[in-house]
Amino acid sequence: MDIKKNKSAFITSNSKLIVSFAPLTRGGVYIMLIIPIKDGENIDRALKRYKRKFDKTGTVRQLRARTAFIKPSITRRAQIQKAAYIQNMKNNLES
């Protein structure tokens, strides 16, 4: 059985699956990403589907957010500024 390792994914030639574990998730539970490869499908296309699915898990965003501690007051301030910006955009669309 030929197994290639691509970062955190395992590609098996016999089972025609890409199996991966997303290391960081909410609640400390690992997510298993399974991408079935159809007959005659190009491996590059399957890897592209894997990358898209991996991006949707938000693992990289979560890692970047954890690099430095952000005070709760700054987080709240950013949320308020974002809400004010969105409200301003909605008001501009209505007028």
Side-chain angles (χ1 to χ4, degrees):
M1 183 164 135
D2 183 28
I3 297 178
K4 298 177 187 175
K5 186 164 178 159
N6 180 0
K7 292 186 181 178
S8 63
F10 292 97
I11 304 168
T12 61
S13 59
N14 293 346
S15 64
K16 297 190 177 191
L17 285 177
I18 297 175
V19 180
S20 171
F21 290 97
L24 288 174
T25 60
R26 293 184 189 134
V29 178
Y30 288 101
I31 295 176
M32 184 181 213
L33 300 176
I34 300 175
I35 292 87
I37 301 174
K38 299 169 183 84
D39 288 335
E41 184 179 14
N42 191 356
I43 192 72
D44 293 330
R45 190 174 180 96
L47 281 174
K48 189 173 184 179
R49 284 192 299 143
Y50 165 75
K51 289 177 184 177
R52 196 176 318 127
K53 202 171 197 181
F54 183 76
D55 287 342
K56 286 183 181 179
T57 62
T59 304
V60 176
R61 275 182 272 136
Q62 198 173 29
L63 278 172
R64 289 185 181 145
R66 290 181 178 193
T67 55
F69 177 74
I70 300 171
K71 291 177 15 180
S73 61
I74 294 178
T75 305
R76 264 183 269 124
R77 186 184 314 151
Q79 286 176 345
I80 291 169
Q81 287 174 342
K82 183 178 178 182
Y85 174 77
I86 291 171
Q87 188 64 41
N88 190 18
M89 293 293 286
K90 287 181 181 179
N91 290 342
N92 288 341
L93 286 176
E94 291 174 359
S95 335

